[in-house]
Amino acid sequence: MSLTETVDRIEGLSDEGRECIEVCNEAAEVCEWCADECLGDSDMEECARLCRDVADLTSLHARFIARNSEYSSMLAEACAEACEACADECSKHDANHCQVCADVLPECAESCRQMANA
């Protein structure tokens, strides 16, 4: 079963919540990959650190949405800010993993910001 199929089975989620869970999980996966690729390169420490923060925040936020946590909107704002900071950092680097992050994270930031304002 795909992530989309699983998320579709969660009762009580809005369309925005479903989308946010999906983009948060995508962001977590991409950021884990990017952080791992940056390891060992002293010029990439900030990138790796931000990617790890985003991976943790986005995976936690997806879980908060799924369980309809009252703290989801507060976490959504932090998640959006971290995604934006990480996308800015990743866009400074030519590595493919950084460019993929820089492409994926703005959508996650936007989705999280919508959840924060819902």
Side-chain angles (χ1 to χ4, degrees), residues 83-98:
C83 284
E84 289 166 350
C86 190
D88 287 345
E89 178 63 28
C90 284
S91 69
K92 296 175 186 176
H93 306 287
D94 292 330
N96 183 51
H97 51 87
C98 290

Side-chain angles (χ1 to χ4, degrees), residues 9-86:
R9 295 179 69 184
I10 300 172
E11 295 177 10
L13 282 180
S14 65
D15 289 342
E16 293 82 14
R18 290 178 203 289
E19 178 185 340
C20 197
I21 287 173
E22 290 180 27
V23 297
C24 279
N25 281 304
E26 180 183 23
E29 290 173 22
V30 167
C31 284
E32 287 289 358
W33 170 51
C34 188
D36 189 60
E37 293 293 318
C38 290
L39 291 177
D41 186 340
S42 61
D43 293 333
M44 303 296 278
E45 286 181 9
E46 182 64 12
C47 186
R49 185 175 295 111
L50 285 168
C51 281
R52 291 178 69 208
D53 285 350
V54 168
D56 288 346
L57 283 167
T58 54
S59 62
L60 180 62
H61 187 230
R63 293 191 311 268
F64 273 36
I65 296 168
R67 66 177 171 241
N68 197 28
S69 172
E70 65 183 85
Y71 300 105
S72 182
S73 62
M74 288 184 281
L75 186 56
E77 186 61 36
C79 196
E81 289 180 21
C83 284
E84 289 166 350
C86 190

